[in-house]
Amino acid sequence: MSARRATALLKKKGWVILRTRGSHTVWKSPRGTLLTLPDGHREISPGVVRNLLRALEESDA
């Protein structure tokens, strides 16, 4: 998954950016869940994608 696609998905679900440091951004869900996402990368590693999908499921529930 690309970083742009992940960012668009988070914005669509109502997540907001808390802070950015270097090439990583910390996102916060409407329920308060935090997620760190590498922004400056073309492709995100499979482990980070798993964490992203898990966080999105938890924030929807």
Side-chain angles (χ1 to χ4, degrees), residues 7-24:
T7 301
L9 184 61
L10 288 170
K11 285 181 182 179
K12 182 179 175 184
K13 296 286 186 172
W15 291 61
V16 294
I17 296 174
L18 282 182
R19 61 185 175 273
T20 301
R21 181 163 185 173
S23 64
H24 289 73

Side-chain angles (χ1 to χ4, degrees), residues 43-55:
E43 288 293 318
I44 300 173
S45 69
V48 175
V49 172
R50 274 192 304 273
N51 289 340
L52 169 67
L53 296 176
R54 190 176 305 132

